Short mmCIF file of all heavy atoms in Angstrom, two decimals:
data_model
loop_
_atom_site.label_atom_id
_atom_site.label_comp_id
_atom_site.label_asym_id
_atom_site.label_seq_id
_atom_site.Cartn_x
_atom_site.Cartn_y
_atom_site.Cartn_z
N TRP A 1 0.87 -1.18 0.00
CA TRP A 1 0.00 0.00 0.00
C TRP A 1 0.91 1.22 0.00
O TRP A 1 1.80 1.35 0.83
CB TRP A 1 -0.91 0.02 1.23
CG TRP A 1 -1.56 1.35 1.45
CD1 TRP A 1 -1.26 2.27 2.42
CD2 TRP A 1 -2.64 1.93 0.69
NE1 TRP A 1 -2.06 3.37 2.30
CE2 TRP A 1 -2.92 3.19 1.25
CE3 TRP A 1 -3.37 1.50 -0.40
CZ2 TRP A 1 -3.92 4.02 0.74
CZ3 TRP A 1 -4.36 2.34 -0.91
CH2 TRP A 1 -4.63 3.58 -0.33
N ASN A 2 0.69 2.10 -0.96
CA ASN A 2 1.48 3.31 -1.08
C ASN A 2 0.58 4.51 -0.81
O ASN A 2 -0.27 4.86 -1.63
CB ASN A 2 2.08 3.39 -2.50
CG ASN A 2 3.16 4.41 -2.59
OD1 ASN A 2 4.03 4.46 -1.74
ND2 ASN A 2 3.12 5.23 -3.62
N ALA A 3 0.75 5.13 0.36
CA ALA A 3 -0.11 6.24 0.76
C ALA A 3 0.13 7.50 -0.05
O ALA A 3 -0.81 8.21 -0.42
CB ALA A 3 0.07 6.53 2.25
N ASP A 4 1.39 7.81 -0.32
CA ASP A 4 1.75 9.03 -1.03
C ASP A 4 2.53 8.70 -2.29
O ASP A 4 3.24 7.68 -2.34
CB ASP A 4 2.61 9.93 -0.12
CG ASP A 4 1.85 10.41 1.10
OD1 ASP A 4 0.65 10.70 0.98
OD2 ASP A 4 2.46 10.50 2.19
N PRO A 5 2.45 9.57 -3.32
CA PRO A 5 3.20 9.31 -4.55
C PRO A 5 4.70 9.25 -4.29
O PRO A 5 5.21 9.94 -3.41
CB PRO A 5 2.86 10.51 -5.44
CG PRO A 5 1.69 11.18 -4.82
CD PRO A 5 1.70 10.81 -3.37
N VAL A 6 5.38 8.42 -5.05
CA VAL A 6 6.83 8.34 -4.99
C VAL A 6 7.36 8.93 -6.28
O VAL A 6 6.92 8.55 -7.37
CB VAL A 6 7.28 6.85 -4.86
CG1 VAL A 6 8.80 6.75 -4.90
CG2 VAL A 6 6.72 6.24 -3.59
N THR A 7 8.28 9.89 -6.19
CA THR A 7 8.83 10.54 -7.37
C THR A 7 9.39 9.49 -8.33
O THR A 7 10.24 8.68 -7.95
CB THR A 7 9.94 11.54 -6.98
OG1 THR A 7 9.40 12.46 -6.05
CG2 THR A 7 10.46 12.26 -8.20
N GLY A 8 8.88 9.50 -9.55
CA GLY A 8 9.34 8.56 -10.57
C GLY A 8 8.90 7.13 -10.31
O GLY A 8 9.41 6.21 -10.93
N GLY A 9 7.94 6.94 -9.39
CA GLY A 9 7.54 5.57 -9.05
C GLY A 9 6.04 5.41 -8.90
O GLY A 9 5.26 5.85 -9.74
N ALA A 10 5.66 4.84 -7.79
CA ALA A 10 4.27 4.46 -7.55
C ALA A 10 3.38 5.66 -7.26
O ALA A 10 3.80 6.62 -6.62
CB ALA A 10 4.20 3.50 -6.37
N PRO A 11 2.12 5.61 -7.72
CA PRO A 11 1.16 6.66 -7.39
C PRO A 11 0.72 6.54 -5.93
O PRO A 11 0.87 5.50 -5.29
CB PRO A 11 -0.01 6.38 -8.34
CG PRO A 11 0.09 4.92 -8.65
CD PRO A 11 1.54 4.57 -8.57
N GLY A 12 0.15 7.60 -5.40
CA GLY A 12 -0.38 7.58 -4.03
C GLY A 12 -1.75 6.93 -3.98
O GLY A 12 -2.40 6.72 -5.01
N ASP A 13 -2.17 6.60 -2.76
CA ASP A 13 -3.47 5.94 -2.53
C ASP A 13 -3.63 4.74 -3.45
O ASP A 13 -4.67 4.54 -4.09
CB ASP A 13 -4.63 6.91 -2.73
CG ASP A 13 -4.58 8.10 -1.78
OD1 ASP A 13 -3.93 7.99 -0.73
OD2 ASP A 13 -5.18 9.14 -2.09
N SER A 14 -2.59 3.91 -3.53
CA SER A 14 -2.59 2.79 -4.46
C SER A 14 -1.97 1.54 -3.82
O SER A 14 -1.21 1.64 -2.87
CB SER A 14 -1.82 3.15 -5.72
OG SER A 14 -0.47 3.43 -5.41
N PHE A 15 -2.34 0.39 -4.38
CA PHE A 15 -1.72 -0.85 -3.93
C PHE A 15 -1.52 -1.80 -5.09
O PHE A 15 -2.18 -1.70 -6.12
CB PHE A 15 -2.51 -1.51 -2.80
CG PHE A 15 -3.91 -1.95 -3.15
CD1 PHE A 15 -4.20 -3.29 -3.44
CD2 PHE A 15 -4.97 -1.05 -3.16
CE1 PHE A 15 -5.49 -3.70 -3.73
CE2 PHE A 15 -6.26 -1.45 -3.46
CZ PHE A 15 -6.53 -2.78 -3.75
N GLN A 16 -0.56 -2.70 -4.93
CA GLN A 16 -0.27 -3.72 -5.92
C GLN A 16 0.19 -4.98 -5.21
O GLN A 16 0.52 -4.95 -4.03
CB GLN A 16 0.78 -3.27 -6.94
CG GLN A 16 2.17 -3.31 -6.45
CD GLN A 16 3.23 -3.03 -7.53
OE1 GLN A 16 4.34 -2.83 -7.17
NE2 GLN A 16 2.92 -3.00 -8.81
N VAL A 17 0.18 -6.09 -5.94
CA VAL A 17 0.69 -7.35 -5.41
C VAL A 17 1.80 -7.87 -6.31
O VAL A 17 1.89 -7.50 -7.47
CB VAL A 17 -0.42 -8.43 -5.27
CG1 VAL A 17 -1.42 -8.06 -4.21
CG2 VAL A 17 -1.10 -8.69 -6.60
N VAL A 18 2.63 -8.72 -5.72
CA VAL A 18 3.67 -9.40 -6.47
C VAL A 18 3.64 -10.87 -6.09
O VAL A 18 3.46 -11.22 -4.93
CB VAL A 18 5.08 -8.80 -6.22
CG1 VAL A 18 5.47 -8.89 -4.75
CG2 VAL A 18 6.14 -9.50 -7.08
N ASP A 19 3.76 -11.72 -7.11
CA ASP A 19 3.90 -13.16 -6.92
C ASP A 19 5.37 -13.47 -7.20
O ASP A 19 5.83 -13.29 -8.32
CB ASP A 19 2.98 -13.91 -7.88
CG ASP A 19 3.08 -15.42 -7.73
OD1 ASP A 19 3.77 -15.91 -6.82
OD2 ASP A 19 2.44 -16.12 -8.54
N ARG A 20 6.11 -13.93 -6.19
CA ARG A 20 7.54 -14.15 -6.31
C ARG A 20 7.94 -15.61 -6.44
O ARG A 20 9.08 -15.90 -6.75
CB ARG A 20 8.26 -13.58 -5.08
CG ARG A 20 7.99 -12.13 -4.78
CD ARG A 20 8.88 -11.17 -5.46
NE ARG A 20 10.27 -11.55 -5.33
CZ ARG A 20 11.20 -11.17 -6.18
NH1 ARG A 20 10.89 -10.41 -7.19
NH2 ARG A 20 12.45 -11.54 -6.03
N LEU A 21 7.02 -16.52 -6.16
CA LEU A 21 7.38 -17.93 -6.06
C LEU A 21 6.63 -18.76 -7.10
O LEU A 21 5.40 -18.70 -7.18
CB LEU A 21 7.05 -18.43 -4.64
CG LEU A 21 7.57 -19.77 -4.20
CD1 LEU A 21 9.10 -19.80 -4.22
CD2 LEU A 21 7.09 -20.06 -2.77
N SER A 22 7.35 -19.53 -7.87
CA SER A 22 6.73 -20.40 -8.89
C SER A 22 6.25 -21.69 -8.22
O SER A 22 6.83 -22.75 -8.41
CB SER A 22 7.74 -20.71 -9.99
OG SER A 22 8.09 -19.55 -10.68
N ASP A 23 5.17 -21.57 -7.44
CA ASP A 23 4.63 -22.70 -6.70
C ASP A 23 3.20 -23.05 -7.11
O ASP A 23 2.56 -23.88 -6.49
CB ASP A 23 4.67 -22.41 -5.19
CG ASP A 23 3.90 -21.16 -4.81
OD1 ASP A 23 3.36 -20.48 -5.71
OD2 ASP A 23 3.84 -20.85 -3.61
N GLY A 24 2.70 -22.39 -8.16
CA GLY A 24 1.34 -22.63 -8.62
C GLY A 24 0.30 -21.76 -7.93
O GLY A 24 -0.86 -21.77 -8.31
N TRP A 25 0.70 -21.03 -6.89
CA TRP A 25 -0.21 -20.13 -6.17
C TRP A 25 0.00 -18.71 -6.69
O TRP A 25 1.11 -18.33 -7.02
CB TRP A 25 0.08 -20.15 -4.68
CG TRP A 25 -0.30 -21.42 -4.00
CD1 TRP A 25 0.42 -22.58 -3.96
CD2 TRP A 25 -1.49 -21.68 -3.25
NE1 TRP A 25 -0.23 -23.54 -3.25
CE2 TRP A 25 -1.42 -23.01 -2.79
CE3 TRP A 25 -2.60 -20.93 -2.92
CZ2 TRP A 25 -2.42 -23.60 -2.04
CZ3 TRP A 25 -3.60 -21.51 -2.16
CH2 TRP A 25 -3.51 -22.82 -1.72
N GLY A 26 -1.07 -17.92 -6.75
CA GLY A 26 -1.00 -16.52 -7.14
C GLY A 26 -1.32 -15.64 -5.94
O GLY A 26 -1.68 -16.13 -4.87
N MET A 27 -1.21 -14.33 -6.11
CA MET A 27 -1.48 -13.36 -5.05
C MET A 27 -2.60 -12.43 -5.47
O MET A 27 -2.68 -12.03 -6.65
CB MET A 27 -0.24 -12.51 -4.75
CG MET A 27 0.94 -13.26 -4.20
SD MET A 27 0.66 -13.74 -2.51
CE MET A 27 1.04 -15.47 -2.61
N GLU A 28 -3.46 -12.09 -4.51
CA GLU A 28 -4.56 -11.17 -4.77
C GLU A 28 -4.83 -10.38 -3.50
O GLU A 28 -4.89 -10.95 -2.42
CB GLU A 28 -5.79 -11.96 -5.19
CG GLU A 28 -6.91 -11.11 -5.74
CD GLU A 28 -7.92 -11.95 -6.49
OE1 GLU A 28 -8.86 -12.45 -5.84
OE2 GLU A 28 -7.75 -12.14 -7.71
N ALA A 29 -4.98 -9.07 -3.64
CA ALA A 29 -5.28 -8.21 -2.50
C ALA A 29 -6.63 -7.53 -2.72
O ALA A 29 -6.97 -7.15 -3.85
CB ALA A 29 -4.19 -7.15 -2.31
N HIS A 30 -7.37 -7.41 -1.61
CA HIS A 30 -8.70 -6.78 -1.65
C HIS A 30 -8.75 -5.67 -0.61
O HIS A 30 -8.45 -5.92 0.56
CB HIS A 30 -9.79 -7.81 -1.31
CG HIS A 30 -9.73 -9.04 -2.12
ND1 HIS A 30 -10.25 -9.11 -3.39
CD2 HIS A 30 -9.20 -10.26 -1.87
CE1 HIS A 30 -10.04 -10.33 -3.87
NE2 HIS A 30 -9.40 -11.04 -2.97
N MET A 31 -9.13 -4.48 -1.04
CA MET A 31 -9.39 -3.42 -0.07
C MET A 31 -10.77 -3.70 0.51
O MET A 31 -11.74 -3.86 -0.24
CB MET A 31 -9.35 -2.04 -0.72
CG MET A 31 -9.63 -0.91 0.28
SD MET A 31 -9.50 0.74 -0.45
CE MET A 31 -7.72 0.97 -0.41
N THR A 32 -10.86 -3.77 1.82
CA THR A 32 -12.15 -4.05 2.46
C THR A 32 -12.81 -2.78 2.99
O THR A 32 -14.01 -2.76 3.21
CB THR A 32 -11.99 -5.05 3.61
OG1 THR A 32 -11.09 -4.52 4.59
CG2 THR A 32 -11.43 -6.39 3.09
N SER A 33 -12.01 -1.72 3.20
CA SER A 33 -12.53 -0.43 3.67
C SER A 33 -11.50 0.65 3.39
O SER A 33 -10.31 0.37 3.48
CB SER A 33 -12.82 -0.51 5.17
OG SER A 33 -13.31 0.70 5.66
N PRO A 34 -11.88 1.85 3.03
CA PRO A 34 -13.21 2.43 2.98
C PRO A 34 -13.96 2.11 1.69
O PRO A 34 -15.15 2.39 1.58
CB PRO A 34 -12.94 3.92 3.09
CG PRO A 34 -11.65 4.11 2.37
CD PRO A 34 -10.86 2.85 2.69
N VAL A 35 -13.27 1.55 0.69
CA VAL A 35 -13.90 1.24 -0.59
C VAL A 35 -13.75 -0.25 -0.83
O VAL A 35 -12.63 -0.75 -0.91
CB VAL A 35 -13.22 2.01 -1.75
CG1 VAL A 35 -13.89 1.69 -3.07
CG2 VAL A 35 -13.21 3.50 -1.48
N SER A 36 -14.85 -0.98 -0.91
CA SER A 36 -14.74 -2.40 -1.22
C SER A 36 -14.75 -2.58 -2.73
O SER A 36 -15.18 -1.70 -3.46
CB SER A 36 -15.87 -3.19 -0.56
OG SER A 36 -17.12 -2.75 -1.07
N GLY A 37 -14.24 -3.70 -3.18
CA GLY A 37 -14.23 -3.97 -4.61
C GLY A 37 -12.94 -3.61 -5.31
O GLY A 37 -12.74 -3.98 -6.46
N ARG A 38 -12.05 -2.90 -4.63
CA ARG A 38 -10.74 -2.60 -5.23
C ARG A 38 -9.87 -3.83 -5.07
O ARG A 38 -9.68 -4.34 -3.97
CB ARG A 38 -10.09 -1.39 -4.57
CG ARG A 38 -10.70 -0.08 -4.97
CD ARG A 38 -10.02 1.11 -4.35
NE ARG A 38 -8.62 1.23 -4.76
CZ ARG A 38 -7.80 2.17 -4.30
NH1 ARG A 38 -8.22 3.06 -3.40
NH2 ARG A 38 -6.55 2.22 -4.71
N THR A 39 -9.29 -4.33 -6.17
CA THR A 39 -8.50 -5.55 -6.16
C THR A 39 -7.26 -5.38 -7.02
O THR A 39 -7.30 -4.75 -8.06
CB THR A 39 -9.34 -6.72 -6.72
OG1 THR A 39 -10.49 -6.89 -5.90
CG2 THR A 39 -8.56 -8.02 -6.75
N ALA A 40 -6.17 -5.98 -6.55
CA ALA A 40 -4.94 -6.12 -7.35
C ALA A 40 -4.65 -7.61 -7.39
O ALA A 40 -4.71 -8.28 -6.36
CB ALA A 40 -3.79 -5.35 -6.72
N THR A 41 -4.34 -8.14 -8.58
CA THR A 41 -4.19 -9.60 -8.69
C THR A 41 -3.11 -9.99 -9.68
O THR A 41 -2.79 -9.23 -10.60
CB THR A 41 -5.53 -10.24 -9.10
OG1 THR A 41 -5.40 -11.66 -9.08
CG2 THR A 41 -5.99 -9.78 -10.47
#
């Protein structure tokens, strides 16, 4: 979760996920509050 913009990088009020392991599992994040339905996968 990145609260504030990073110069030359990530935007503020944003989130992302990373899958680092080749194990057949993926990663998914869900914002539950204040806004539901926001997903990174």
Side-chain angles (χ1 to χ4, degrees):
W1 166 254
N2 194 46
D4 296 323
V6 176
T7 304
D13 299 339
S14 62
F15 63 101
Q16 77 172 168
V17 292
V18 60
D19 180 5
R20 305 272 312 156
L21 192 61
S22 295
D23 58 358
W25 290 81
M27 296 287 129
E28 191 164 88
H30 308 279
M31 180 177 280
T32 60
S33 179
V35 180
S36 62
R38 286 182 62 183
T39 300
T41 186

